[in-house]
Amino acid sequence: MKSYLFTVVIFLSVAFQKQKLDRDKLPACVVQKIQEIKQQPRWNPPAEVHEYFYRNKRVFYFTSDCCDQYNLLLDEQCAVICAPNGGTTGKGDGKCADFNTKAEYIKLVWKDERAK
């Protein structure tokens, strides 16, 4: 019985570690979008990508390159979900008005730290 429990504990531990590694790995399209931003002159304010958990999904928030533009929220396939903020009103496109209250912040994925 003890060896069975030990095996189950080891299996669950390995499965949990794999899930964590998968969750930490950025989707290829997010990496590609970051690379595309790096090919441009540094934005003002600098570009940032943040990871959130929103509507039961892992999502990525990309800041815009200037004033009165939408900041976009993308899913793991880089399909646009909405613009939580930005635009001329600063309130985004209205498609995810609950983002600020419902989204769970995970981490800063990337910030453009290049010199001006």
Side-chain angles (χ1 to χ4, degrees):
M1 182 68 169
K2 286 182 181 179
S3 65
Y4 173 75
L5 287 174
F6 180 74
T7 303
V8 169
V9 168
I10 295 298
F11 174 78
L12 291 174
S13 176
V14 169
F16 178 76
Q17 283 296 346
K18 180 172 179 355
Q19 182 182 18
K20 183 179 183 309
L21 289 174
D22 290 346
R23 193 173 57 231
D24 288 343
K25 185 177 177 184
L26 288 177
C29 65
V30 170
V31 173
Q32 180 181 351
K33 286 192 174 295
I34 291 170
Q35 293 304 320
E36 290 169 6
I37 294 169
K38 287 180 177 181
Q39 298 304 313
Q40 301 172 24
R42 184 175 178 263
W43 296 356
N44 186 19
E48 294 183 7
V49 180
H50 299 266
E51 182 178 341
Y52 287 85
F53 189 72
Y54 176 64
R55 295 182 182 167
N56 298 316
K57 292 182 186 179
R58 181 182 185 204
V59 297
F60 298 90
Y61 174 87
F62 281 76
T63 60
S64 65
D65 62 338
C66 191
C67 347
D68 295 337
Q69 294 184 39
Y70 289 140
N71 296 309
L72 297 178
L73 191 66
L74 309 177
D75 66 16
E76 290 187 274
Q77 291 74 42
C78 290
V80 175
I81 297 169
C82 66
N85 51 35
T88 55
T89 66
K91 295 181 180 181
D93 62 9
K95 295 180 182 175
C96 55
D98 64 346
F99 180 77
N100 289 332
T101 58
K102 301 286 183 176
E104 177 187 340
Y105 185 76
I106 304 298
K107 66 183 176 184
L108 172 67
V109 171
W110 175 75
K111 180 176 182 178
D112 192 346
E113 299 284 356
R114 295 178 291 172
K116 287 184 179 181

